[in-house]
Amino acid sequence: MRLPITAALATMAVATTLHQLFSGGAWLWTTLGAIVVIGAMGVIASRLAVPGWLSALAQLAGLWIYLTAAFAGDEAWAMVVPTSDSVAALVSLVEDGFQDIQRYAPPVPANPSIMLFTALGIGLIAIAVDLLAVRLRRAALAGLPLLALFVVPAEIVTDQIPWPSFIVAALGFTALLLADGRERIGHWGRAVLVRRMRGTSRPEGDSGQLRLSGKRIGVAAIGLAVLVPALVPTLEPNPLFTFGVGAGDGRGEGNTISIPNPIVGLKGQLTLPDNAPVLTYTNDDGVPRYLRLYALDTFNSDVWTMSNPSGTPENRVENGPLPAPPGLTSTPQDRQIKTDIQISEDLDVEFLPLPYPPLRVTAEGDWRADRTSLMVFSTRDSTRGLRYQVISGEPRATADRLKGSGEPVPEVAARYLSLPQGLPPQVREEAERVTRNRKTPYEKAVRLQEWFTDDGDFTYSVNTKSGHSNSALLDFLISSRVGYCEQFAAAMAVMARTLGIPARVAVGYTGGTPLGGGRWQVGTHDMHAWPELYFEGVGWLPFEPTPSGTQGQGTARAPEYSLPPPDEPDPATSSPGPTGGEDEETGTTSGTPERPRNPALLDREGTITPAAPEESTSVAGRIGTGALMLLLIVLIPAALRVFMRRRRLRVVARPVADDPGPGPSPEPGFGGAADPPVGVWAGRRASPVSAAWAEFGDALYDYGLSRAASETPRALSRRLAAEHGFDPLATAAIERIATATERMLFARSPGDQRPMGEDLRRVRRALAATASRGRRIRAVLLPPSTLRRLRQVGGRLLDGFDRLENLRMRKTTG
């Protein structure tokens, strides 16, 4: 019955790696219940010896009943037996779960639909593992469904899987292989238990040795899998949102477009060690502008998401001007800017980074514009290496024009003022408190931005947990006030909606850093999120609540129209808002500096793009560090051998007559039938003779020389001298070591002998002369004697695990 239980435990061990994908631990208990049901059904099937296919059907039925009881008990008969209503409820929850998993960014909420979807998926994997490992006796093939489960967090989550989670998963699969091997050995026949006296050896055919070998292989493989990646320089992720969470039902001649969650990869890009180039651009006036990729229009208490873009063939960019920007009424003072953009080979997405609002785009491929957001996307082409030109508008956004903007049209208000019912009331109260002295929507928007960047006591740092759910939003606004662009943009957009200002969250890139000659470079550290607010007659305008400069988002810049007028200071603070421009040549913010912030919380998002030579040095340094660490680990056995030899030579340097007597037990130099019992060596670790004999044995083993099981020390010395033709001095040295050893073992006293340090050195040189060059190099770098001791230590540890595994409760008799 052990194998089906182990199969269930292996599935549970691998499933624990999913913890990064979920908020809270409710998903774990639900999944554990499904695995327990499947494991119990497997044990019953094994006891009744039912066919494998019937066992799988029984497990499917058990999983169905469990999910019905857990998620659709109200519609089931007696809360357990499935009915048509319960089936419909489960199907509906599965569909909702599939959509929610695509929509949410990790960590996803543990709502019923997602928990059902997760429990169903892991339950099916548990059934597949049981079928392969237990019914078909193909335990190795059971690793395939387990690997499929392990790949899910590895592909979705930007952070690395913690090594304890990996070890737990690997041990689960290793235990499954060992249990399968034990079952196979058990089929050979009934094991005969023999009580052995202490010191006797284990029978050759004992299956425990086979299990021990399997454990050695498994533990070694897990150790290598943990250590090697830590020593090898890591490859950086793709510089954008390659960790998308699903595909939406795109538009356009039946093709589909991958709809990533833009927030998923944001923090991962900001914390990359190097600011890898993403794109370069030039424009008419040499002024940096934000390049938007995505517009997130929906907030549902857990995450900001965007509606699927729709682009008909008529909206192809090759057909001429893009749809008119929503809400913008053109005036003679509005400008048009031409921008030429070159994407790097590393940026592979299906949306074009564009300054907003784009009016005309010239790009090779089937690129289409979404009418409401003006995101430009493709169902067939990618941005990789693309060069294109965009003509964008720049509306004349003066304070008077924005103050006089009218009410938003009903379509805009319905879509961009929507808020979830569960929004904490403190968010609205805080927004009203901050803007209580402002009358128009524009003045409230400017005051909100000023509160975030100046007098709200907010601190910029990416060393904070990602997320902008209701609870995270409330914590950011009321308690911690520490975050990065994701929290600042999401919070300002929500607060703007509570004040009646249509708002959404944009994700893309800041203007980057100057390269000279009117060219600008944008890197991974320039990835950014910011709010866009709507004003009738002007349309959508970006605001910048994230602190900029050296202690914030380094290349962020607040537009001129979003700054408080200098003649109308905020009554709540005398500090001016953030500056509005950036020097073209230096890339530094001009104007009044912002309030100092805690430098300890400064993150890489505020660093300047490193030059190419510095990046090369960084990569070379990581490679060199990894190579050095690997070399040090490889040389550990050699270092241990040198340490052991020097310690023994210090002991051997003492005269034999100064033998201090009993002490701890040594390690016999090489085992054989003629070696004395362990008890004879008891108390003589500090003996010069025992140290010399142990060193002589290790030297023999290192240089590939053997000793017959029945050879005495003196017989061994004569054979070595005869076979290898040692010179008289080496022969005499070997004989003195052998004679001293025999006297130590059998004589009343060892007698007076000179120190044997020089004898050992001479013997070592003689033994080395008999070996090949490769063997001598191996004896220095990877001494077999040390490796043997390391294996013995590992074997003792695994033997201890065996003893724990074989513990049985015994009845005590009175």
Side-chain angles (χ1 to χ4, degrees):
M1 300 304 106
R2 177 176 301 183
L3 193 54
I5 296 176
T6 308
L9 292 177
T11 306
M12 192 65 244
V14 178
T16 57
T17 60
L18 300 178
H19 70 91
Q20 293 175 288
L21 303 181
F22 298 91
S23 297
W27 72 274
L28 180 62
W29 301 112
T30 304
T31 300
L32 178 61
I35 295 176
V36 168
V37 169
I38 293 169
M41 298 296 294
V43 170
I44 294 173
S46 297
R47 180 171 292 275
L48 299 179
V50 301
W53 63 269
L54 185 57
S55 172
L57 290 179
Q59 288 173 326
L60 283 172
L63 178 62
W64 183 13
I65 294 174
Y66 169 76
L67 296 178
T68 299
F71 297 97
D74 294 340
E75 287 78 18
W77 184 72
M79 300 187 68
V80 174
V81 180
T83 63
S84 59
D85 292 337
S86 68
V87 172
L90 290 179
V91 171
S92 177
L93 280 176
V94 169
E95 292 175 350
D96 292 343
F98 184 78
Q99 295 176 0
D100 289 344
I101 285 179
Q102 293 186 89
R103 183 176 58 183
Y104 291 131
V108 300
N111 58 37
S113 60
I114 290 181
M115 286 197 295
L116 171 61
F117 190 84
T118 304
L120 176 61
I122 296 178
L124 294 176
I125 288 177
I127 294 174
V129 171
D130 184 90
L131 179 63
L132 290 171
V134 183
R135 314 306 155 189
L136 301 180
R137 304 310 302 271
R138 297 290 186 270
L141 286 180
L144 294 178
L146 293 176
L147 178 62
L149 180 59
F150 182 81
V151 164
V152 173
E155 284 295 322
I156 293 179
V157 179
T158 56
D159 297 333
Q160 295 181 353
I161 296 178
W163 64 264
S165 298
F166 169 77
I167 290 179
V168 170
L171 287 176
F173 180 57
T174 304
L176 179 61
L177 295 178
L178 293 175
D180 177 70
R182 189 167 185 173
E183 291 273 336
R184 293 176 184 274
I185 294 172
H187 289 167
W188 295 350
R190 184 184 181 90
V192 178
L193 301 179
V194 179
R195 293 188 179 274
R196 299 189 299 269
M197 298 297 294
R198 180 176 299 180
T200 59
S201 61
R202 181 178 288 175
E204 290 294 329
D206 193 349
S207 65
Q209 286 290 349
L210 296 177
R211 296 196 305 275
L212 183 59
S213 299
K215 291 176 183 176
R216 287 171 176 166
I217 295 172
V219 171
I222 295 171
L224 289 175
V226 172
L227 290 176
V228 172
L231 301 178
V232 178
T234 57
L235 297 177
E236 296 179 1
N238 189 296
L240 197 62
F241 308 112
T242 56
F243 305 94
V245 292
D249 50 18
R251 308 291 192 268
E253 298 181 351
N255 293 321
T256 60
I257 180 174
S258 176
I259 305 298
N261 188 315
I263 298 299
V264 173
L266 182 57
K267 183 175 181 179
Q269 304 307 307
L270 300 180
T271 55
L272 286 175
D274 296 322
N275 191 10
V278 173
L279 60 89
T280 58
Y281 69 91
T282 59
N283 54 26
D284 289 344
D285 55 2
V287 175
R289 288 175 175 83
Y290 283 13
L291 303 174
R292 191 194 65 174
L293 275 164
Y294 309 104
L296 314 183
D297 59 342
T298 303
F299 181 63
N300 59 7
S301 296
D302 292 303
V303 68
W304 277 92
T305 60
M306 69 178 181
S307 302
N308 288 359
S310 60
T312 64
E314 291 76 20
N315 296 133
R316 288 193 179 103
V317 299
E318 63 187 22
N319 293 336
L322 274 59
L328 175 60
T329 303
S330 298
T331 67
Q333 290 77 19
D334 294 344
R335 300 176 57 199
Q336 292 189 2
I337 308 297
K338 182 175 69 174
T339 306
D340 292 296
I341 301 175
Q342 174 66 59
I343 305 293
S344 73
E345 293 292 333
D346 295 325
L347 183 59
D348 184 14
V349 292
E350 297 168 328
F351 290 77
L352 294 183
L354 300 170
Y356 186 87
L359 305 178
R360 182 187 292 269
V361 175
T362 304
E364 182 178 350
D366 183 8
W367 296 93
R368 307 182 183 193
D370 178 69
R371 298 188 66 87
T372 59
S373 66
L374 295 185
M375 293 185 294
V376 176
F377 64 95
S378 177
T379 61
R380 302 175 180 176
D381 300 293
S382 165
T383 58
R384 185 189 297 273
L386 183 66
R387 185 182 185 90
Y388 57 97
Q389 184 182 89
V390 55
I391 296 177
S392 59
E394 188 167 276
R396 189 178 63 92
T398 63
D400 291 338
R401 185 179 181 185
L402 294 174
K403 286 180 181 179
S405 63
E407 293 292 327
V409 296
E411 322 66 273
V412 172
R415 181 174 180 180
Y416 296 103
L417 290 179
S418 175
L419 289 169
Q421 294 182 352
L423 184 71
Q426 297 93 322
V427 177
R428 186 184 303 273
E429 294 169 0
E430 189 70 7
E432 293 174 349
R433 183 192 67 80
V434 171
T435 62
R436 64 181 178 272
N437 295 323
R438 302 300 186 268
K439 298 179 180 179
T440 67
Y442 164 69
E443 291 173 322
K444 294 180 179 180
V446 172
R447 174 62 191 133
L448 277 181
Q449 175 180 287
E450 185 184 26
W451 181 62
F452 281 111
T453 58
D454 187 23
D455 57 72
D457 198 27
F458 286 88
T459 303
Y460 177 89
S461 173
V462 298
N463 298 322
T464 184
K465 187 176 181 180
S466 302
H468 41 266
S469 62
N470 282 342
S471 58
L473 176 64
L474 192 60
D475 176 75
F476 173 69
L477 290 175
I478 306 300
S479 302
S480 70
R481 297 199 174 181
V482 176
Y484 59 103
C485 57
E486 174 189 342
Q487 284 82 21
F488 283 98
M492 182 170 176
V494 172
M495 295 178 77
R497 288 193 178 188
T498 65
L499 299 173
I501 308 172
R504 64 191 184 192
V505 173
V507 178
Y509 296 97
T510 63
T513 54
L515 295 176
R519 296 178 65 243
W520 295 79
Q521 178 173 282
V522 174
T524 51
H525 291 175
D526 297 313
M527 185 171 291
H528 193 47
W530 64 92
E532 289 183 340
L533 274 56
Y534 179 89
F535 300 93
E536 192 65 42
V538 183
W540 292 98
L541 293 177
F543 281 72
E544 187 50 87
T546 304
S548 60
T550 57
Q551 297 188 10
Q553 165 69 5
T555 53
R557 55 188 299 272
E560 292 287 350
Y561 56 78
S562 68
L563 301 177
D567 56 345
E568 296 181 12
D570 182 7
T573 176
S574 59
S575 300
T579 61
E582 194 171 11
D583 185 74
E584 178 180 350
E585 297 299 325
T586 65
T588 58
T589 306
S590 61
T592 305
E594 38 175 330
R595 180 176 58 85
R597 298 186 181 277
N598 183 3
L601 296 176
L602 175 62
D603 188 79
R604 289 193 182 97
E605 190 176 355
T607 59
I608 302 301
T609 305
E614 295 178 358
E615 293 179 4
S616 301
T617 302
S618 177
V619 173
R622 292 201 304 274
I623 295 176
T625 302
L628 179 61
M629 293 180 64
L630 181 61
L631 179 62
L632 292 177
I633 290 178
V634 170
L635 292 180
I636 286 177
L640 292 176
R641 182 71 180 94
V642 171
F643 172 78
M644 179 69 72
R645 184 187 307 121
R646 289 184 177 179
R647 190 184 70 171
R648 289 168 175 167
L649 288 176
R650 284 197 298 269
V651 176
V652 169
R654 297 197 306 265
V656 175
D658 293 342
D659 185 355
S665 172
E667 313 125 345
F670 35 112
D675 267 342
V678 176
V680 176
W681 290 101
R684 300 188 183 271
R685 176 180 288 276
S687 167
V689 175
S690 61
W693 181 247
E695 179 61 25
F696 178 46
D698 282 352
L700 279 176
Y701 196 79
D702 287 341
Y703 293 116
L705 301 177
S706 61
R707 173 194 177 190
S710 59
E711 276 185 310
T712 63
R714 191 174 304 180
L716 173 65
S717 66
R718 288 197 297 264
R719 181 178 63 82
L720 290 175
E723 288 182 357
H724 300 287
F726 294 147
D727 60 75
L729 292 178
T731 301
I734 296 176
E735 289 179 351
R736 281 194 291 271
I737 294 174
T739 301
T741 301
E742 289 191 346
R743 290 185 63 86
M744 175 66 69
L745 294 173
F746 306 114
R748 187 179 297 273
S749 68
D752 294 332
Q753 297 185 18
R754 67 178 186 178
M756 292 181 288
E758 184 60 32
D759 288 340
L760 275 177
R761 297 185 183 93
R762 183 173 286 113
V763 168
R764 182 177 178 81
R765 289 194 295 269
L767 295 176
T770 65
S772 63
R773 178 180 298 178
R775 187 78 191 193
R776 292 197 299 271
I777 294 175
R778 181 187 176 190
V780 173
L781 299 179
L782 291 172
S785 59
T786 302
L787 297 179
R788 177 181 60 177
R789 282 188 173 83
L790 295 176
R791 289 195 300 270
Q792 290 172 348
V793 171
R796 293 190 188 103
L797 291 175
L798 294 175
D799 275 334
F801 292 146
D802 269 344
R803 295 187 185 96
L804 293 176
E805 183 181 285
N806 293 327
L807 286 178
R808 297 290 187 273
M809 297 296 294
R810 296 182 179 178
K811 290 184 178 181
T812 57
T813 57

